Amino acid sequence: MEKLRKVVNEIAYTQDHAKLSSLNRSLLPLLTVASFLYRVTLSLRRYLYHFGLFSKQRLPVPVISVGNLTWGGNGKTPMVEFIAQWLADSGISPLILTRGYAGGDEARMLTRHLLGTSSKIGIGANRAATATCFLKQYGYLDPKSFLFEGMWVDQTVRSPLNFGKIGAVVLDDGMQHWSLDRDLEIVMVNGLSPWGNHQLIPLGPLREPMAALRRADVAVVHHANLVSKQSLKDIELMMKEVKESLPVFFARMSPSHFFEVGNINFRIPLDVIQDAIVLCVSAIGSANAFVQGIEKMGAFYVDRIDFTDHHSFQTQPQPEVFRVCGRQPQGTYL
């Protein structure tokens, strides 16, 4: 299954199918049919919501959706964490709603990173039901109590009576989750590979057609520091062609430290890999961004093993790691 996912990912991000291997090209007819069926299903679902046969639920607190048009590597989870941290620092207790995909690895990461804040994390496929349970359990703030004619009423929010009450919901991977109304739709875009081959999944990486950008209130191009200025302009122009009024911002990841796998509280300075040989092992949506980031830190040589997004690692090292480490000198950082 891991190999098949890698093949599909390679096809999705290859503009010219003639450059694919004969084996990969043999999958194109099957993927094309599957992509067509996905498009039909997506259109049917959209019409059902449009004509009210599927209903949307409105929560009593503001809802911020962070999503994307393509699978993986767009920076939506770091953005969710950033927004939740900002809300918590402002005295607004946020509720993050996530599906808990692939065993909930992202939910566990968010829990770890937001430990000590007023953030709450609800996990479940039915995010409306999950939100309702949390709102009943913790209570919620009336938005009118901390927003007055567009002004932030900080004193009211920080009242001891309101401590722990949910003031806002952050919807992780929410763009295609249409059952919840939202007040702000943020779309994340991977600057390194924004649209792949421009096809819908599984033939391409698009979860919706580009026209879906019309629903967005804000677009954020991630990994902007790894992309040329001209490429960033091209990405912005393409989005503006879909929605001229769409505000476009640019973001990047700034690592602060390394940590030991067995002890995340033991921080290791970034300069430890200066002039070192490094093996990057990843199971994330944008492995290229990870590897390029390590290279920019001054590593002497960087090798890589890329697993598919949300790959489940075992307790024992993967065979691929042994094979690569076997050809590297001692002292390689993993």
Side-chain angles (χ1 to χ4, degrees), residues 42-56 178 215:
L42 193 65
S43 299
L44 177 60
R45 183 167 172 256
R46 187 183 303 114
Y47 284 127
L48 290 173
Y49 273 103
H50 179 74
F51 290 108
L53 297 176
F54 283 177
S55 60
K56 292 186 177 183
W178 299 341
R215 302 200 313 270

Side-chain angles (χ1 to χ4, degrees), residues 80-94:
V80 166
E81 179 184 335
F82 175 81
I83 293 171
Q85 184 70 61
W86 180 82
L87 287 169
D89 290 344
S90 301
I92 302 291
S93 179

Side-chain angles (χ1 to χ4, degrees), residues 18-321:
K19 296 180 180 179
L20 295 170
S21 67
S22 57
L23 176 61
N24 289 4
R25 286 200 302 272
S26 68
L27 294 175
L28 291 178
L30 177 62
L31 294 177
T32 300
V33 172
S35 182
F36 171 76
L37 294 176
Y38 175 80
R39 181 185 293 273
V40 171
T41 303
L42 193 65
S43 299
L44 177 60
R45 183 167 172 256
R46 187 183 303 114
Y47 284 127
L48 290 173
Y49 273 103
H50 179 74
F51 290 108
L53 297 176
F54 283 177
S55 60
K56 292 186 177 183
Q57 183 171 337
R58 162 63 67 175
L59 297 179
V61 296
V63 175
I64 303 170
S65 169
V66 181
N68 49 33
L69 283 183
T70 62
W71 64 40
N74 298 277
K76 60 178 173 47
T77 302
M79 178 59 74
V80 166
E81 179 184 335
F82 175 81
I83 293 171
Q85 184 70 61
W86 180 82
L87 287 169
D89 290 344
S90 301
I92 302 291
S93 179
L95 169 62
I96 299 173
L97 295 177
T98 178
R99 285 188 61 187
Y101 179 75
D105 55 348
E106 291 175 344
R108 289 194 297 271
M109 183 190 72
L110 287 169
T111 300
R112 186 172 69 245
H113 289 184
L114 295 170
L115 186 66
T117 73
S118 60
S119 303
K120 301 167 181 61
I121 300 177
I123 304 173
N126 188 337
R127 283 179 263 193
T130 303
T132 300
C133 289
F134 272 78
L135 293 170
K136 285 182 178 179
Q137 180 178 354
Y138 294 98
Y140 60 89
L141 292 174
D142 183 348
K144 296 178 182 178
S145 68
F146 59 88
L147 288 175
F148 179 71
E149 294 184 353
M151 300 296 290
W152 196 271
V153 188
D154 190 56
Q155 295 85 350
T156 304
V157 175
R158 295 182 184 274
S159 167
L161 296 175
N162 292 327
F163 182 78
K165 290 184 178 180
I166 295 169
V169 166
V170 184
L171 198 55
D172 181 26
D173 196 11
M175 190 171 186
Q176 288 76 40
H177 192 81
W178 299 341
S179 63
L180 268 183
D181 266 331
R182 66 283 319 270
D183 300 277
L184 183 66
E185 184 83 78
I186 301 174
V187 176
M188 303 297 297
V189 178
N190 184 351
L192 287 172
S193 50
W195 326 115
N197 59 11
H198 295 262
Q199 301 295 324
L200 289 176
I201 58 176
L203 181 61
L206 287 176
R207 301 166 77 177
E208 290 189 74
M210 291 289 293
L213 281 172
R214 297 192 187 106
R215 302 200 313 270
D217 299 302
V218 175
V220 179
V221 181
H222 195 43
H223 304 310
N225 58 315
L226 303 177
V227 184
S228 69
K229 291 183 179 180
Q230 184 57 52
S231 295
L232 293 176
K233 288 181 180 179
D234 292 341
I235 294 171
E236 182 176 9
L237 179 61
M238 185 172 293
M239 290 190 288
K240 293 282 190 179
E241 288 178 352
V242 178
K243 185 177 181 179
E244 187 176 358
S245 61
L246 181 65
V248 179
F249 297 90
F250 303 93
R252 67 176 184 174
M253 295 287 286
S254 297
S256 58
H257 62 275
F258 296 107
F259 61 84
E260 289 187 350
V261 174
N263 182 10
I264 63 174
N265 295 317
F266 186 78
R267 297 192 172 193
I268 304 171
L270 296 176
D271 60 9
V272 71
I273 65 170
Q274 189 77 32
D275 297 323
I277 297 172
V278 181
L279 173 61
C280 294
V281 182
S282 65
I284 54 178
S286 183
N288 287 337
F290 171 47
V291 174
Q292 288 184 36
I294 294 295
E295 290 173 340
K296 282 180 172 289
M297 292 182 197
F300 173 74
Y301 175 78
V302 179
D303 207 339
R304 61 193 290 175
I305 300 175
D306 303 338
F307 294 96
T308 54
D309 200 9
H310 299 288
H311 174 80
S312 179
F313 288 99
Q314 307 302 315
T315 304
Q316 297 298 320
Q318 305 285 132
E320 292 88 343
V321 175

